[in-house]
Amino acid sequence: MMPEIMKPKVSMEWDDRATLLGGRFVKVYRCADCNRKLHLGQALCSCGMPQIWEGIEAWDRIHKARKGKRK
């Protein structure tokens, strides 16, 4: 049986290592099944759960720019 395809959870988390000034909030993408961090566009989580990225703002912006370059 094929596992259900899920959208990743998006949250803003504090990252101390982000800047020299003490940190900032960054977007973090997590698997909805096991809660592991994902990279933007990662198709499969290490737990085996497929991820679908359509509808995630950053993903849609990247693909809109790619489609514009093809014309």
Side-chain angles (χ1 to χ4, degrees):
M1 185 173 150
M2 181 92 173
E4 182 183 338
I5 297 173
M6 303 178 100
K7 283 191 177 188
K9 296 186 287 185
V10 182
S11 63
M12 297 297 286
E13 295 182 10
W14 186 256
D15 185 5
D16 290 330
R17 300 170 297 150
T19 64
L20 297 173
L21 300 175
R24 66 178 177 159
F25 282 99
V26 293
K27 274 189 183 174
V28 176
Y29 304 98
R30 294 190 176 273
C31 176
D33 192 43
C34 68
N35 212 31
R36 288 188 178 119
K37 281 188 181 180
L38 301 169
H39 296 285
L40 182 62
Q42 185 176 337
L44 193 65
C45 180
S46 57
C47 71
M49 183 62 64
Q51 304 294 317
I52 188 162
W53 290 87
E54 284 78 15
I56 303 292
E57 184 179 331
W59 178 257
D60 291 341
R61 190 177 329 116
I62 290 169
H63 280 275
K64 184 178 180 183
R66 284 184 183 168
K67 286 180 184 177
K69 289 181 182 178
R70 290 184 196 167
K71 292 182 180 180

